[in-house]
Amino acid sequence: MPIIATAGEGKNYTPAPEGTHQAVCVDVIYIGLKPNPFKDGAMHHKIDVAWQIDELRDDGKRYVVYKRYTLSLNDKATLRHDLESWRGRPFTDAELKGFDVEVLIGVNCLVNIQHKPSNKDAHKVFANVVSVMPLIKGMAKIAPVGYERHSEQQEQPPADDSPVTDDMPAVDDIPF
């Protein structure tokens, strides 16, 4: 049986609007091992974090924005920087031993979105999440609407050699 590839018609893609928006985390998607373009041969585990913002598209559905991260809490990692900004406090040594990023699902925040033109096509614009912040005190939370979690996730990353200990924080102790 033949497998036919076509150029397709392309989609009219309207990026999420720029600015600061209230959002709710709707998914954490494990992408797999990907090469690091800055370190020859180095491979890193990657995840996408997905947020629904409170603004509606033309079809009445909420915009969904994503940010790709290296799955690391190293002190220079963007994931750690964004999570500490979102939490409003740094990680403790105990929390740095292991943090389940799926606890983010359902948690509200403010995301700052900036538009950036594509390197390949100047007419295409991408909505990039450039910062993640906690909600303003007293701000009403929003719930996900009509989002189905990514179901075909690749195999999860293998656990590292770090021992799991009883002094690791319980999920209820994490301020999300």
Side-chain angles (χ1 to χ4, degrees):
M1 177 158 103
I3 300 173
I4 310 298
T6 66
E9 298 179 18
K11 294 182 180 179
N12 279 342
Y13 170 76
T14 304
E18 288 185 292
T20 303
H21 301 273
Q22 183 174 358
V24 59
C25 180
V26 291
D27 213 347
V28 176
I29 305 160
Y30 178 68
I31 303 301
L33 275 173
K34 299 294 177 189
N36 181 339
F38 304 108
K39 291 184 179 177
D40 191 30
M43 302 288 282
H44 295 284
H45 294 281
K46 298 287 186 171
I47 62 170
D48 281 345
V49 176
W51 294 273
Q52 254 186 7
I53 66 170
D54 59 351
E55 188 127 355
L56 301 178
R57 304 182 315 201
D58 291 340
D59 64 2
K61 295 179 181 177
R62 284 190 185 159
Y63 285 97
V64 177
V65 293
Y66 300 84
K67 186 167 182 178
R68 181 154 296 171
Y69 295 96
T70 297
L71 188 57
S72 171
L73 293 178
N74 180 287
D75 60 345
K76 294 182 181 178
T78 304
L79 177 62
R80 180 174 176 174
H81 175 267
D82 283 358
L83 289 177
E84 288 181 342
S85 174
W86 187 353
R87 293 159 42 111
R89 68 174 182 80
F91 281 98
T92 66
D93 289 339
E95 290 169 331
L96 289 173
K97 291 179 182 176
F99 180 80
D100 180 4
V101 291
E102 286 200 321
V103 301
L104 303 172
I105 297 169
V107 178
N108 277 233
C109 61
L110 297 173
V111 293
N112 186 11
I113 298 171
Q114 290 180 355
H115 286 175
K116 181 178 181 191
S118 167
N119 293 335
K120 297 177 184 176
D121 180 357
H123 294 88
K124 273 189 178 176
V125 174
F126 294 102
N128 292 325
V129 175
V130 295
S131 63
V132 185
M133 301 148 289
L135 288 183
I136 297 169
K137 232 178 205 180
M139 195 171 192
K141 294 180 180 179
I142 61 173
V145 176
Y147 181 87
E148 188 174 325
R149 283 202 61 202
H150 190 274
S151 60
E152 296 179 23
Q153 294 193 27
Q154 295 185 22
E155 185 179 320
Q156 294 297 311
D160 62 11
D161 295 334
S162 302
V164 176
T165 63
D166 291 334
D167 64 341
M168 291 182 68
V171 171
D172 294 341
D173 297 337
I174 298 169
F176 277 107

